[in-house]
Amino acid sequence: MDSFNKAKEYADGKVVEALNQVVADAYQAGYNAGYQDGINKVVKDSALEKTEYVDLGLPSGTLWASDYIKDGDDVLFLPYSEALQYNIPTEEQVDELRECCEISIKYDEDDNYVHIVLGPNGNSIVFKGHGYKTFAELKNAKTAYFWQVYNCDTPKTVFVPYPSAPFINAEYLFPSYRIPIWTVKNKEL
C-alpha cells in the first residue's frame, strides 16, 4: 500500500471518530436539556400545587395567589424568562386589580409594612416587600415587586408592578434581575 492510501485510510478513520464524538456530544446535550426541563417542571408543579388562590370578586373572575411562590420556606426569585413558565398576571389583570381594589398599608409583627389589597367582595391578599435581586445584591427590600407578562419578545427593560397604597405603581427593570413570582388563574366554573 502506498503512502497516499495509508494517509487516506488514516484520515477516513479520524473523520469517522470526529463525527462519532459530535453525535455523542449532541446526544448528551439534548439529554441534559431534557433532564433539566424535567427538573424545572417538577419544581414548578410542586410549587404551584401548594399555592392557594383568593377570589377577590374581580369582574374577570381572575383568582390571585394568596402569597408569592416559595422555594421551600423562602420566596422564589426568578428572572423574567423563567417567570414566564408560571401563570404570572397579564397587564390587563394588573390593571383590573389596580382599578377594582383598594390598597392600604399596615405593619406586620416585625414592623415591616405590608400592602393589603382589598377586593370588591371583601376578600384580600397581602403583598410583603421582598425587593428584587440584581447580579450583585438585593435592592428595595421593602418593595413588593412581582412580574407581569410583557408583550415583547426581547425586552431590554420590563414593566414591573408593585403595590404602593393607595395604588399599584410600576417601574422598568432589567429582565435578568430576579424578582418574586405571584401567580393568577381563572376561576373554575
Side-chain angles (χ1 to χ4, degrees), residues 65-172:
S66 62
D67 200 355
Y68 291 103
I69 297 294
K70 302 281 176 91
D71 181 14
D73 291 334
D74 299 323
V75 170
L76 179 64
F77 285 76
L78 291 176
Y80 179 71
S81 60
E82 292 179 37
L84 287 172
Q85 298 173 18
Y86 292 79
N87 298 324
I88 60 175
T90 64
E91 182 178 359
E92 294 79 16
Q93 289 168 321
V94 172
D95 287 345
E96 180 182 49
L97 195 70
R98 179 182 287 126
E99 293 165 9
C100 298
C101 296
E102 293 180 30
I103 300 173
S104 61
I105 295 178
K106 301 285 183 205
Y107 292 91
D108 67 10
E109 61 278 355
D110 298 322
D111 267 352
N112 295 318
Y113 56 83
V114 295
H115 303 278
I116 300 168
V117 179
L118 181 65
N121 66 2
N123 292 338
S124 64
I125 54 176
V126 176
F127 287 93
K128 290 184 178 182
H130 293 284
Y132 65 92
K133 295 180 180 181
T134 67
F135 300 110
E137 62 187 329
L138 178 66
K139 297 275 203 175
N140 298 341
K142 292 191 176 226
T143 305
Y145 294 106
F146 58 95
W147 287 118
Q148 82 174 20
V149 175
Y150 192 73
N151 295 321
C152 178
D153 291 337
T154 55
K156 293 182 181 166
T157 57
V158 179
F159 198 59
V160 180
Y162 62 93
S164 177
F167 305 108
I168 293 180
N169 294 323
E171 67 180 89
Y172 287 98

Side-chain angles (χ1 to χ4, degrees), residues 18-66:
L19 287 174
N20 284 340
Q21 187 60 48
V22 166
V23 169
D25 290 346
Y27 176 81
Q28 185 64 42
Y31 175 81
N32 288 342
Y35 177 77
Q36 190 58 49
D37 286 348
I39 296 235
N40 290 343
K41 182 174 179 357
V42 167
V43 168
K44 175 188 161 195
D45 290 348
S46 68
L48 289 176
E49 195 174 278
K50 299 173 190 169
T51 303
E52 294 179 24
Y53 289 89
V54 177
D55 183 355
L56 297 170
L58 300 171
S60 69
T62 299
L63 305 177
W64 283 73
S66 62

